[in-house]
Structures are given as structure tokens and as C-alpha cells.
Amino acid sequence: MLIKRTRGWEIPERETTPESAWSRRGVLSAGVAAAAAAALPAQAQAPTGGEDPSASLYPAMRNMRYRVDRELTDEKIATTYNNFYEFGTSKNIWQAAQRLPIRPWQVQIEGMVEQPRTVDIDDLLKAMKLEERVYRFRCVEAWAMTVPWTGFPLASLVEWCKPLSSAKYLQMETFQMPTVAPGQRATWYPWPYTEGLALDEATNELAFIATGIYGKPIPRQNGAPLRLVVPWKYGFKSVKSLVKFKFTDQRPKTFWLELGEREYGFWANVNPRVAHPRWSQASEELIGKNGQRVPSQLFNGYGDFVASLYENRQNERLWA
């Protein structure tokens, strides 16, 4: 008899969060936002990337190694309920984000690499093999979605960049365009938005660079044309609209860590037993599921993939 053993990170696809339910850090009620998004007229729905010249690359083949047991979040919610502080602090920033020019778009590779360079986004896409992966997404605000991302493993980009053996961290930065992004005119924020990973995290098989979502190029409000996805960490680590990858031997001072070190740590791994200073992380609300809450999981259910990364880091503050 064939017996299938379900791993901790697997969730049934019927439970995958609908495409329309995804966003980054924010403060509005997830249930209210889901209802509001569902009520939007057709003409108010966010663009899905039709203007992107890379549209012919989508959809890509789904990698079934990364199956989940949650329904996909509805696309309408995921593309109209977003955090993107560069365009404002509310979740309803998708319209403002349409100002972001995504061509031309260049990406800098610098720091401890064999050869620093600047590459055009479309040349980078030609150098990478795209695939689709369905991942859980867990916000630090204790809500969750399930999203089908298209892109390529971050490990492939790291290999392509040829870092020196002395590099220990990968620092990533978003664009800096205050004339386009009004949030960047707020001088109390440490722009540009910066995030970072240890190199062993960056080369873990789960770490992913997303260029598409729901079988289409990724919309601006979701991080076009290039964003990080690290599903075992809280969502604020998944920096959007990337323009720079810097390899360094110094731990990056990240955006939220610089703003609130007591609330947001560098590692930011999901742990239901470690509360945020202002709320519990023991459970999470499934966006688009009428307020349904489920228990949170250590490493967001991906411990089989990533727990070994932290065995020798137990003296660190591993949980945000």
C-alpha cells in the first residue's frame, strides 16, 4: 500500500489564499479590507501587468515541490490590498503605485563580487529560468495569504553575480524616486527601503525573486518588476521593486530595524510562541476567508526547509 506522508510545510491547494488577498505590512483590518476589495467595480481593479514587455514569458510552469494545502488568495484582493510605504501608509495604494515607471529598469550588482555591473531587467530575465511557486505569505500583523509567484530562485541570481568567498550577507534596496513615490518625501523614514539576508538564507531553495504573480507579470503595487519572497519570514522582509543587490561582510541595517529595533529584528522568522510587542503571533487571519483564524506555524510551516539554518544561531534574536 502506498502511504503519502504530508510534511509540515504542505497545505492543500483548496486552502490556497485567493490572489486578491495579498499585501505587505499595514494596520487595517484584513476582514474589512477583503470585503471592500470584493465590492470594487470592475474598472477599479488593479492592472495586472499588461503594459509589461515581459508579458510573453507568462504563465510559467508550476513547480509542484512547493504545494500547499490552502486555497489561493483571490487575485482581486491580492492586487488591491497592498502595503507599499513608498506610495503611502494605507493599504489602498494600488492606484498611486501606477505612477512607478518599470521600463527602463536597471539593477546594480555591487560590493564583494568578482565584477560589479549594472544589468537591464529584461536582460536579467533572459538569463534566468522562470517557474511558478505557490507559497504561504505571513504578515507580521498576524494575517496570512497564499500566493502563486512566478520568478526564479534567489540562489540562481547569487550564482550569476559571482560573490567573493568573503561575502556573508546580501543587501537589497528598492528604488529611490520621491518625485514619483510621495511616501519617500517623508524624511523620518530611512529611504531607500533596505533589506538583507545572510548568504546561506539567500541560497536556501525557498528564497525566491518574483517577477510575476497569478500567471502574469507582477503589478507595480505588488513589487514590479522584481521583488524578494522569503516565505518562512514575516512579510516586511520581502522587499519590493529592487534596484540593487550588494554583497557584503557586514550585516545590513534594514529599514524596519532602523525604525523600530524593539519591534522588528533582522532575522524576522515566523514563530507563534514569540509575540510582537503589541500583539500575539499565536494565530493568523486568512485573508478573504471571512475572518477565519488558524494557528500560526513555526517558520510559517517551512521548518523542513530552513530550520537547520538557525541551529548555530540560537543566541541571536531569531524572531521579530
Side-chain angles (χ1 to χ4, degrees), residues 99-312:
R99 304 187 194 108
L100 179 65
I102 56 174
R103 294 298 188 283
W105 191 276
Q106 293 188 318
V107 180
Q108 293 176 268
I109 311 298
E110 61 179 55
M112 294 179 167
V113 293
E114 290 184 9
Q115 182 177 355
R117 52 183 153 167
T118 299
V119 60
D120 182 81
I121 180 62
D122 293 302
D123 291 334
L124 180 60
L125 290 175
K126 291 175 185 176
M128 300 294 158
K129 183 178 180 180
L130 299 187
E131 64 180 62
E132 183 179 77
R133 296 184 179 186
V134 176
Y135 279 164
R136 302 176 189 226
F137 181 88
R138 174 59 154 81
C139 182
V140 74
E141 296 172 333
W143 54 261
M145 297 186 181
T146 309
V147 178
W149 306 98
T150 302
F152 51 87
L154 178 54
S156 298
L157 179 62
V158 171
E159 181 181 11
W160 187 81
C161 292
K162 295 181 169 56
L164 303 180
S165 59
S166 51
K168 297 179 180 179
Y169 297 93
L170 176 57
Q171 177 176 312
M172 292 156 280
E173 292 183 10
T174 193
F175 67 90
Q176 181 83 356
M177 301 181 195
T179 58
V180 170
Q184 291 184 331
R185 300 170 205 160
T187 57
W188 53 88
Y189 286 121
W191 305 113
Y193 197 104
T194 301
E195 262 303 337
L197 298 171
L199 268 190
D200 58 351
E201 294 181 305
T203 54
N204 180 273
E205 67 171 283
L206 284 184
F208 199 62
I209 295 294
T211 63
I213 190 172
Y214 295 95
K216 300 182 271 295
I218 193 167
R220 290 162 174 82
Q221 64 272 21
N222 293 96
L226 206 65
R227 69 164 293 164
L228 175 68
V229 182
V230 276
W232 71 97
K233 295 179 179 287
Y234 292 116
F236 66 84
K237 293 291 292 186
S238 293
V239 55
K240 294 180 174 182
S241 301
L242 289 160
V243 297
K244 184 183 294 186
F245 294 87
K246 180 179 179 180
F247 293 85
T248 174
D249 59 0
Q250 302 295 314
R251 184 177 298 181
K253 186 73 170 179
T254 61
F255 182 89
W256 286 109
L257 182 59
E258 189 168 344
L259 275 175
E261 186 172 0
R262 191 178 73 89
E263 298 194 10
Y264 305 101
F266 175 80
W267 300 103
N269 297 314
V270 178
N271 189 336
R273 297 187 296 272
V274 178
H276 182 277
R278 290 182 283 125
W279 56 80
S280 171
Q281 298 287 13
S283 67
E284 60 197 37
E285 180 175 354
L286 300 180
I287 299 298
K289 292 293 184 179
N290 298 317
Q292 178 185 355
R293 299 194 72 88
V294 297
S296 300
Q297 297 187 53
L298 184 65
F299 296 116
N300 200 25
Y302 291 101
D304 290 348
F305 288 101
V306 301
S308 62
L309 295 173
Y310 307 102
E311 289 176 352
N312 297 321

Side-chain angles (χ1 to χ4, degrees), residues 2 6 11 26 43 81-82 85 111 124 130 159 167 186 193 202 218 272:
L2 177 63
T6 302
I11 51 178
Q43 65 270 25
Y81 177 67
N82 311 97
Y85 273 59
L124 180 60
L130 299 187
E159 181 181 11
Y193 197 104
I218 193 167

